[in-house]
Amino acid sequence: MFTLEEKLGYAFKNKALLENALQHSSYANEHRGGGMRSNERLEFLGDAVLGVVTADYLFRKHPDLPEGDLTRLRAALVCEDSLHEVAQSLELGRHLKLGRGEEQGGGRRRPSILADATESVFAAVYLDGGMEAASELIHRVLLDKGREEAVEERRRDFKTELQELVQRKSGSTLGYRLVGSTGPDHAKVFEAAVLLNGEVFSTGTGHSKKEAEQAAAGAALEKLQQA
């Protein structure tokens, strides 16, 4: 079993910084007498460090992109979904310190908590090893993993693309159906189906009905393009 430091590829000189990065406010509130501090201050700093590193990366990689496009790309790269994916790859959830209520409510898997903890870990590395160490980590777990391409893929409107493709096939009809949902209210996963001429053609999942329909439309496009 890999330790978190092995997953991060970084060994802390001051282990207390990493411990603080993993302490959710619910845990700190339950241990006020012990002088526990939540990771919220680290999250604030980590957000800034992540923004600088990502801006520098995009500025150098895309010398001809205007400011507006760079801003949109940066926002998409550092959004909750991207940071949640990083947290999952690092198995950050199992290392978090949560209060009893948050633990029982599924906080260890909650995307917002995991995304915030990811920023806190970035800040902890920055404070322990400087900007170079933080930048290396952010590049390794986020920027150098093809996530920019994944972001661009998510920005595509698969439903519109599918509609245009189906319209070119005379006599074909297109529709969507919600198949069902799973999970607790704070972390529901929806499943939607694409109906082509009244028959289920593909399915997809997402954290909202809209995301599920987009995923189903993307799967349908892939099938049609391979046919």
Side-chain angles (χ1 to χ4, degrees):
M1 183 71 69
F2 286 105
T3 67
L4 181 53
E5 285 181 298
E6 287 173 328
K7 285 270 190 182
L8 293 170
Y10 180 81
F12 278 83
K13 296 181 284 291
N14 182 358
K15 308 290 185 184
L17 284 168
L18 180 57
E19 291 176 10
N20 187 198
L22 300 171
Q23 287 170 184
H24 187 254
S25 57
S26 61
Y27 181 86
N29 289 338
E30 288 184 6
H31 296 79
R32 285 178 181 171
M36 290 289 179
R37 300 184 66 179
S38 78
N39 62 4
E40 290 176 343
R41 281 173 53 83
L42 285 176
E43 177 199 336
F44 163 79
L45 179 60
D47 177 70
V49 171
L50 175 61
V52 169
V53 172
T54 305
D56 179 76
Y57 164 79
L58 292 172
F59 184 85
R60 295 175 189 279
K61 184 176 180 182
H62 302 289
D64 299 321
L65 272 187
E67 180 267 345
D69 288 341
L70 290 171
T71 298
R72 282 189 290 274
L73 265 179
R74 180 180 61 184
L77 274 170
V78 304
C79 72
E80 182 179 296
D81 284 347
S82 291
L83 295 177
H84 179 217
E85 289 173 8
V86 171
Q88 289 179 307
S89 71
L90 295 172
E91 298 181 19
L92 208 54
R94 68 187 187 89
H95 299 282
L96 292 177
K97 292 182 178 179
L98 304 172
R100 288 186 296 273
E102 198 63 65
E103 182 77 67
Q104 293 169 1
R108 206 167 288 279
R109 299 183 302 278
R110 189 172 298 176
S112 60
I113 289 178
L114 290 168
D116 291 347
T118 302
E119 290 183 328
S120 299
V121 169
F122 290 160
V125 171
Y126 166 74
L127 291 173
D128 192 71
M131 182 59 86
E132 184 177 350
S135 180
E136 286 178 1
L137 172 61
I138 292 168
H139 273 265
R140 186 164 59 251
V141 301
L142 177 65
L143 301 178
D144 294 341
K145 283 188 168 290
R147 293 188 189 275
E148 186 179 345
E149 288 72 20
V151 162
E152 286 297 304
E153 190 76 359
R154 282 201 295 265
R155 289 173 65 192
R156 290 175 60 191
D157 185 352
F158 293 121
K159 290 181 69 174
T160 298
E161 289 184 40
L162 181 60
Q163 183 71 42
E164 292 173 350
L165 183 60
V166 168
Q167 283 177 346
R168 293 200 292 269
K169 297 179 180 291
S170 59
S172 296
T173 61
L174 178 67
Y176 294 86
R177 177 194 297 161
L178 180 64
V179 177
S181 62
T182 58
D185 289 341
H186 67 267
K188 273 198 180 301
V189 175
F190 296 88
E191 183 178 9
V194 167
L195 304 179
L196 192 60
N197 296 323
E199 300 291 331
V200 174
F201 185 71
S202 65
T203 61
T205 60
H207 291 294
S208 68
K209 296 175 184 178
K210 182 178 179 181
E211 278 187 15
E213 288 181 353
Q214 284 284 353
L221 278 169
E222 189 172 343
K223 286 179 68 174
L224 288 171
Q225 289 165 354
Q226 290 176 351

